[in-house]
Amino acid sequence: MRLLFLGDIVGRTGRNAVTEQLPGLRERYKLDLVIINGENSAGGFGITETILNDLIDAGADCITLGNHAFDQKETLVYIERTERLIRPINFPKGTPGRGATMVKAKNGADVLVI
């Protein structure tokens, strides 16, 4: 399996680099799965739904979050319906979203992302 994990995409510059380069990287390296840490993609403070969709459209299979998961308050609304966006698993019980998700890789394998 060919996996690419891009850590800590920060701000517009980071997002632009990913959206411009990821489609070519997926093709060139025949990537089966792409995971991106997007917790700082909104100017260093969380992620918005628009940014999430842009990263997925560029070829990300799953977006992880960290301690800045809910810096953008709108995340509290859409995280429940977005299976490919995961918060840290060690957040307190009752925190919106999920700490793990199963993703289908391009090669057909099921991959658990935590």
Side-chain angles (χ1 to χ4, degrees):
M1 174 176 301
R2 292 179 178 249
L3 166 72
L4 174 64
F5 182 89
L6 299 175
D8 230 348
I9 305 305
V10 179
R12 184 181 314 268
T13 303
R15 294 191 318 263
N16 289 345
V18 170
T19 57
E20 291 170 12
Q21 298 297 317
L22 185 54
L25 290 171
R26 275 207 90 126
E27 185 176 324
R28 181 179 327 140
Y29 295 105
K30 306 210 181 325
L31 298 172
D32 295 307
L33 187 70
V34 175
I35 302 168
I36 293 176
N37 180 277
E39 71 165 312
N40 288 308
S41 58
F45 300 100
I47 189 169
T48 66
E49 189 169 20
T50 299
I51 292 169
L52 170 74
N53 290 329
D54 288 346
L55 295 173
I56 289 173
D57 289 346
D61 295 300
C62 185
I63 311 295
T64 63
L65 298 173
N67 63 318
H68 294 285
F70 300 109
D71 284 0
Q72 300 293 320
K73 297 306 177 205
E74 71 178 81
T75 307
L76 292 165
V77 176
Y78 69 84
I79 196 169
E80 290 292 337
R81 69 174 185 269
T82 309
E83 291 184 20
R84 296 197 289 174
L85 179 65
I86 59 172
R87 59 159 173 79
I89 198 166
N90 63 343
F91 275 15
K93 185 176 181 177
T95 301
R98 60 196 52 75
T101 194
M102 190 71 72
V103 179
K104 182 72 78 178
K106 297 287 185 206
N107 67 357
D110 289 324
V111 179
L112 177 63
V113 180
I114 298 173

mmCIF file of all heavy atoms in Angstrom, residues 10-11 14 28-30 33 38 52 54-56 61 64 71 85-87 99-100 102 111 113:
data_model
loop_
_atom_site.group_PDB
_atom_site.id
_atom_site.type_symbol
_atom_site.label_atom_id
_atom_site.label_comp_id
_atom_site.label_asym_id
_atom_site.label_seq_id
_atom_site.Cartn_x
_atom_site.Cartn_y
_atom_site.Cartn_z
ATOM 1 N N VAL A 10 -0.792 24.546 7.068
ATOM 2 C CA VAL A 10 -1.012 25.811 7.767
ATOM 3 C C VAL A 10 -1.362 26.920 6.779
ATOM 4 O O VAL A 10 -0.588 27.232 5.874
ATOM 5 C CB VAL A 10 0.234 26.224 8.594
ATOM 6 C CG1 VAL A 10 -0.010 27.544 9.299
ATOM 7 C CG2 VAL A 10 0.589 25.144 9.597
ATOM 8 N N GLY A 11 -2.536 27.508 6.983
ATOM 9 C CA GLY A 11 -2.949 28.703 6.256
ATOM 10 C C GLY A 11 -3.099 28.534 4.755
ATOM 11 O O GLY A 11 -3.024 27.442 4.207
ATOM 12 N N GLY A 14 -0.155 26.863 2.727
ATOM 13 C CA GLY A 14 -0.169 25.410 2.853
ATOM 14 C C GLY A 14 -1.296 24.786 2.050
ATOM 15 O O GLY A 14 -1.108 23.775 1.370
ATOM 16 N N ARG A 28 1.407 10.388 -9.844
ATOM 17 C CA ARG A 28 2.817 10.029 -10.039
ATOM 18 C C ARG A 28 3.235 8.850 -9.159
ATOM 19 O O ARG A 28 3.939 7.955 -9.611
ATOM 20 C CB ARG A 28 3.722 11.218 -9.738
ATOM 21 C CG ARG A 28 5.209 10.888 -9.958
ATOM 22 C CD ARG A 28 6.150 12.050 -9.689
ATOM 23 N NE ARG A 28 5.582 13.332 -10.013
ATOM 24 C CZ ARG A 28 5.744 14.434 -9.272
ATOM 25 N NH1 ARG A 28 6.479 14.404 -8.186
ATOM 26 N NH2 ARG A 28 5.191 15.566 -9.622
ATOM 27 N N TYR A 29 2.809 8.855 -7.903
ATOM 28 C CA TYR A 29 3.222 7.810 -6.976
ATOM 29 C C TYR A 29 2.175 6.713 -6.783
ATOM 30 O O TYR A 29 2.343 5.840 -5.948
ATOM 31 C CB TYR A 29 3.617 8.420 -5.628
ATOM 32 C CG TYR A 29 4.822 9.300 -5.754
ATOM 33 C CD1 TYR A 29 4.700 10.689 -5.712
ATOM 34 C CD2 TYR A 29 6.084 8.757 -5.973
ATOM 35 C CE1 TYR A 29 5.811 11.506 -5.856
ATOM 36 C CE2 TYR A 29 7.198 9.567 -6.123
ATOM 37 C CZ TYR A 29 7.054 10.933 -6.061
ATOM 38 O OH TYR A 29 8.146 11.743 -6.208
ATOM 39 N N LYS A 30 1.084 6.803 -7.552
ATOM 40 C CA LYS A 30 0.014 5.810 -7.483
ATOM 41 C C LYS A 30 -0.401 5.555 -6.024
ATOM 42 O O LYS A 30 -0.425 4.418 -5.546
ATOM 43 C CB LYS A 30 0.432 4.525 -8.174
ATOM 44 C CG LYS A 30 0.909 4.770 -9.599
ATOM 45 C CD LYS A 30 0.652 3.641 -10.497
ATOM 46 C CE LYS A 30 1.135 3.862 -11.924
ATOM 47 N NZ LYS A 30 1.074 5.148 -12.489
ATOM 48 N N LEU A 33 -3.767 5.886 -0.480
ATOM 49 C CA LEU A 33 -4.442 6.596 0.603
ATOM 50 C C LEU A 33 -3.685 7.875 0.938
ATOM 51 O O LEU A 33 -2.461 7.858 1.036
ATOM 52 C CB LEU A 33 -4.500 5.700 1.849
ATOM 53 C CG LEU A 33 -5.312 6.230 3.028
ATOM 54 C CD1 LEU A 33 -6.794 6.205 2.704
ATOM 55 C CD2 LEU A 33 -5.041 5.397 4.272
ATOM 56 N N GLY A 38 -5.307 18.728 9.063
ATOM 57 C CA GLY A 38 -5.819 20.024 8.648
ATOM 58 C C GLY A 38 -6.193 20.953 9.781
ATOM 59 O O GLY A 38 -6.882 21.951 9.573
ATOM 60 N N LEU A 52 -12.121 22.058 4.155
ATOM 61 C CA LEU A 52 -12.227 20.597 4.188
ATOM 62 C C LEU A 52 -12.601 20.055 2.813
ATOM 63 O O LEU A 52 -11.960 19.139 2.289
ATOM 64 C CB LEU A 52 -13.268 20.174 5.223
ATOM 65 C CG LEU A 52 -13.672 18.704 5.203
ATOM 66 C CD1 LEU A 52 -12.570 17.835 5.782
ATOM 67 C CD2 LEU A 52 -14.975 18.501 5.947
ATOM 68 N N ASP A 54 -12.283 21.506 -0.101
ATOM 69 C CA ASP A 54 -11.204 21.763 -1.065
ATOM 70 C C ASP A 54 -10.112 20.696 -0.958
ATOM 71 O O ASP A 54 -9.592 20.224 -1.976
ATOM 72 C CB ASP A 54 -10.581 23.144 -0.848
ATOM 73 C CG ASP A 54 -11.494 24.281 -1.269
ATOM 74 O OD1 ASP A 54 -12.502 24.032 -1.970
ATOM 75 O OD2 ASP A 54 -11.197 25.435 -0.882
ATOM 76 N N LEU A 55 -9.757 20.303 0.263
ATOM 77 C CA LEU A 55 -8.724 19.288 0.463
ATOM 78 C C LEU A 55 -9.196 17.923 -0.032
ATOM 79 O O LEU A 55 -8.433 17.180 -0.651
ATOM 80 C CB LEU A 55 -8.310 19.224 1.933
ATOM 81 C CG LEU A 55 -7.622 20.474 2.486
ATOM 82 C CD1 LEU A 55 -7.420 20.356 3.993
ATOM 83 C CD2 LEU A 55 -6.302 20.744 1.774
ATOM 84 N N ILE A 56 -10.442 17.592 0.223
ATOM 85 C CA ILE A 56 -10.998 16.326 -0.269
ATOM 86 C C ILE A 56 -11.064 16.342 -1.796
ATOM 87 O O ILE A 56 -10.684 15.365 -2.453
ATOM 88 C CB ILE A 56 -12.372 16.040 0.373
ATOM 89 C CG1 ILE A 56 -12.159 15.685 1.848
ATOM 90 C CG2 ILE A 56 -13.099 14.921 -0.363
ATOM 91 C CD1 ILE A 56 -13.429 15.541 2.652
ATOM 92 N N ASP A 61 -8.139 11.604 1.327
ATOM 93 C CA ASP A 61 -9.134 10.604 1.699
ATOM 94 C C ASP A 61 -9.662 10.824 3.103
ATOM 95 O O ASP A 61 -10.781 10.431 3.417
ATOM 96 C CB ASP A 61 -8.521 9.202 1.613
ATOM 97 C CG ASP A 61 -8.145 8.845 0.192
ATOM 98 O OD1 ASP A 61 -9.044 8.826 -0.666
ATOM 99 O OD2 ASP A 61 -6.954 8.612 -0.067
ATOM 100 N N THR A 64 -7.346 14.766 9.462
ATOM 101 C CA THR A 64 -7.256 14.648 10.912
ATOM 102 C C THR A 64 -7.183 16.034 11.544
ATOM 103 O O THR A 64 -6.772 16.997 10.912
ATOM 104 C CB THR A 64 -6.020 13.833 11.336
ATOM 105 O OG1 THR A 64 -4.834 14.508 10.914
ATOM 106 C CG2 THR A 64 -6.063 12.431 10.757
ATOM 107 N N ASP A 71 -11.375 25.442 16.821
ATOM 108 C CA ASP A 71 -11.099 26.882 16.796
ATOM 109 C C ASP A 71 -12.100 27.615 15.896
ATOM 110 O O ASP A 71 -12.431 28.776 16.156
ATOM 111 C CB ASP A 71 -9.674 27.166 16.330
ATOM 112 C CG ASP A 71 -8.634 26.883 17.405
ATOM 113 O OD1 ASP A 71 -9.013 26.467 18.525
ATOM 114 O OD2 ASP A 71 -7.445 27.081 17.126
ATOM 115 N N LEU A 85 -13.603 13.437 8.411
ATOM 116 C CA LEU A 85 -12.954 14.414 9.284
ATOM 117 C C LEU A 85 -12.949 13.839 10.689
ATOM 118 O O LEU A 85 -14.010 13.552 11.256
ATOM 119 C CB LEU A 85 -13.714 15.743 9.267
ATOM 120 C CG LEU A 85 -13.158 16.848 10.156
ATOM 121 C CD1 LEU A 85 -11.765 17.280 9.682
ATOM 122 C CD2 LEU A 85 -14.113 18.044 10.163
ATOM 123 N N ILE A 86 -11.742 13.633 11.257
ATOM 124 C CA ILE A 86 -11.686 13.022 12.578
ATOM 125 C C ILE A 86 -10.919 13.898 13.561
ATOM 126 O O ILE A 86 -9.899 14.478 13.237
ATOM 127 C CB ILE A 86 -11.109 11.602 12.547
ATOM 128 C CG1 ILE A 86 -9.700 11.568 11.978
ATOM 129 C CG2 ILE A 86 -12.022 10.671 11.774
ATOM 130 C CD1 ILE A 86 -9.028 10.230 12.118
ATOM 131 N N ARG A 87 -11.460 13.976 14.748
ATOM 132 C CA ARG A 87 -10.841 14.704 15.860
ATOM 133 C C ARG A 87 -9.970 13.719 16.638
ATOM 134 O O ARG A 87 -10.059 12.505 16.416
ATOM 135 C CB ARG A 87 -11.914 15.306 16.751
ATOM 136 C CG ARG A 87 -12.843 14.230 17.311
ATOM 137 C CD ARG A 87 -13.550 14.687 18.538
ATOM 138 N NE ARG A 87 -14.546 13.755 18.977
ATOM 139 C CZ ARG A 87 -14.299 12.638 19.652
ATOM 140 N NH1 ARG A 87 -13.071 12.289 19.952
ATOM 141 N NH2 ARG A 87 -15.286 11.861 20.055
ATOM 142 N N GLY A 99 -13.419 9.988 16.799
ATOM 143 C CA GLY A 99 -11.973 9.907 16.987
ATOM 144 C C GLY A 99 -11.309 8.899 16.070
ATOM 145 O O GLY A 99 -10.087 8.768 16.080
ATOM 146 N N ALA A 100 -12.102 8.183 15.286
ATOM 147 C CA ALA A 100 -11.568 7.196 14.353
ATOM 148 C C ALA A 100 -12.573 7.010 13.225
ATOM 149 O O ALA A 100 -13.778 7.231 13.409
ATOM 150 C CB ALA A 100 -11.321 5.867 15.045
ATOM 151 N N MET A 102 -13.132 4.494 9.370
ATOM 152 C CA MET A 102 -12.658 3.506 8.421
ATOM 153 C C MET A 102 -12.730 4.137 7.027
ATOM 154 O O MET A 102 -13.765 4.673 6.633
ATOM 155 C CB MET A 102 -13.535 2.251 8.466
ATOM 156 C CG MET A 102 -12.971 1.097 7.702
ATOM 157 S SD MET A 102 -11.524 0.356 8.468
ATOM 158 C CE MET A 102 -12.256 -0.465 9.870
ATOM 159 N N VAL A 111 -8.935 0.862 5.780
ATOM 160 C CA VAL A 111 -7.886 1.410 6.647
ATOM 161 C C VAL A 111 -8.556 2.161 7.798
ATOM 162 O O VAL A 111 -9.368 3.050 7.569
ATOM 163 C CB VAL A 111 -6.949 2.360 5.858
ATOM 164 C CG1 VAL A 111 -5.892 2.950 6.759
ATOM 165 C CG2 VAL A 111 -6.324 1.638 4.667
ATOM 166 N N VAL A 113 -8.301 4.877 10.494
ATOM 167 C CA VAL A 113 -7.522 6.070 10.790
ATOM 168 C C VAL A 113 -7.947 6.565 12.157
ATOM 169 O O VAL A 113 -9.123 6.785 12.411
ATOM 170 C CB VAL A 113 -7.734 7.176 9.731
ATOM 171 C CG1 VAL A 113 -6.908 8.409 10.058
ATOM 172 C CG2 VAL A 113 -7.399 6.655 8.337
#
